[in-house]
Amino acid sequence: MHELAHLHFADAETSYADARYVLFGVPYDGTTSFRPGARFGPRAIREASFNFESYDPSTGLDLYEIPFTDLGDLGVLKVPEDLVGQVADVTGEIVGDGKVPVMLGGEHTATIGAVSAMKPDVYVVCDAHLDLRDELDGTPYSHGCVTRRILDLGVDDVVIIGARSGDREQFEIAEERTRLYTADAVRERGIGAVLAEILKEIRRQTIYLSIDADAIDCCLTPGLGTPEPFGLTPLDVREVVRTLGPHAAGFDYMEVAPFDAGQTAMVAAQVVREFIARHRIAAR
Ligand code: MN
Ligand code: MN
């Protein structure tokens, strides 16, 4: 059978029943405040994934040997609150079947749904933005409110890595209620030292790991709805995933708006592969 389009992630050849990792896309950008396009992120990440060799030399694993599947994209609802509910339902099913959800975005709003279904002990996010607004443009389910909603869900250990944008009130909330490692702090201390500190406190707790693509400096990966310079590097984000990924019960890579030369989706696809391979090898 000829393959006519890359509608799934490369090497995601396992049936749902046999899969340990379950990818799904959320092609949504309904609350965009600056530049739209994140709805095309999941497709761009999947297409980018076909660029890579199946073999992952850093773990010695072949991706096609890892049992993972790709459900395709959600038929997303327009209202952000409904979208969050959809994502919660899908994530809940995947987790209920004893599998690890891997979400491709799409706007960061969807992460609220995934986290609400999983109720992790710790929420770790790489993001240029604090996302601690109570509401934005009339909705509490905006991409600018993600971390605030997750605090509201009762996830009270929130770790933010790479932030460099938010208003005064959000920074005050971050100081009080989260463990904040700004992009400047990561640059000063090094990502290794920051991750060692985070890891020490995580131990056996369940974590949800979310990557907002704009955590990375927009000069490096410009396919972003809300670009910010002076951020993390792709290597920093890869290190976060290598170190914390094996401890994560759920993972997402969000906010890829692929109107650049392809580098934002390329980094995303490789980091998703890193997550799957590192999680797999650690579980052995
Ligand atoms: Mn975000
Ligand atoms: Mn962001």
Side-chain angles (χ1 to χ4, degrees):
M1 178 74 149
H2 292 285
E3 190 174 21
L4 300 181
H6 296 322
L7 299 176
H8 61 89
F9 200 91
D11 300 311
E13 305 283 358
T14 309
S15 69
Y16 178 80
D18 294 331
R20 172 80 180 117
Y21 306 93
V22 179
L23 276 63
F24 64 98
V26 183
Y28 181 80
D29 56 13
T31 77
T32 297
S33 52
F34 188 60
R35 278 203 306 223
R39 72 178 65 183
F40 303 111
R43 173 171 292 213
I45 296 169
R46 290 190 181 97
E47 283 178 358
S49 71
F50 284 85
N51 175 49
F52 302 116
E53 295 281 355
S54 177
Y55 186 61
D56 174 45
S58 78
T59 56
L61 296 179
D62 258 299
L63 268 288
Y64 71 77
E65 289 175 340
I66 301 175
F68 76 106
T69 195
D70 184 347
L71 298 178
D73 283 345
L74 279 185
V76 294
L77 298 169
K78 291 268 189 292
V79 177
E81 201 169 342
D82 296 342
L83 182 273
V84 165
Q86 269 186 303
V87 172
D89 288 347
V90 172
T91 306
E93 274 183 48
I94 294 167
V95 174
D97 290 334
K99 305 170 191 301
V100 178
V102 178
M103 179 165 64
L104 312 176
E107 212 173 82
H108 212 178
T109 300
T111 300
I112 304 167
V115 172
S116 75
M118 299 199 65
K119 295 278 165 53
D121 299 316
V122 189
Y123 172 67
V124 182
V125 61
C126 293
D127 201 325
H129 309 93
L130 295 175
D131 288 355
L132 283 167
R133 286 182 198 277
D134 198 29
E135 65 154 55
L136 181 61
D137 297 330
T139 172
Y141 291 97
S142 159
H143 67 92
C145 309
V146 178
T147 306
R148 182 71 170 264
R149 293 290 83 77
I150 286 168
L151 283 170
D152 289 351
L153 288 169
V155 180
D156 53 16
D157 192 356
V158 168
V159 181
I160 303 172
I161 305 170
R164 52 201 184 275
S165 174
D167 60 14
R168 184 185 304 274
E169 187 196 349
Q170 290 181 71
F171 271 95
E172 284 167 2
I173 295 168
E175 282 304 321
E176 206 174 305
R177 299 184 62 187
T178 76
R179 291 194 271 151
L180 172 61
Y181 298 94
T182 63
D184 281 347
V186 171
R187 185 171 168 80
E188 279 157 28
R189 298 180 57 185
I191 193 69
V194 165
L195 289 169
E197 187 173 289
I198 294 168
L199 202 53
K200 221 172 6 176
E201 298 190 19
I202 285 176
R203 297 189 183 274
R204 280 189 208 83
Q205 303 186 84
T206 59
I207 80 170
Y208 186 94
L209 178 57
S210 178
I211 309 295
D212 180 327
D214 65 35
I216 295 172
D217 194 301
C218 68
C219 305
L220 300 170
T221 54
L224 303 167
T226 44
E228 292 274 347
F230 310 118
L232 303 183
T233 67
L235 281 169
D236 288 333
V237 169
R238 187 180 74 169
E239 203 55 35
V240 170
V241 170
R242 284 186 171 184
T243 305
L244 302 181
H247 302 270
F251 176 74
D252 65 46
Y253 202 109
M254 311 302 286
E255 295 283 355
V256 173
F259 39 61
D260 57 357
Q263 57 272 58
T264 308
M266 205 57 73
V267 169
Q270 186 61 288
V271 169
V272 167
R273 286 161 45 96
E274 285 276 347
F275 172 76
I276 294 168
R278 293 286 166 159
H279 197 284
R280 180 69 175 170
I281 199 117
R284 279 187 173 177

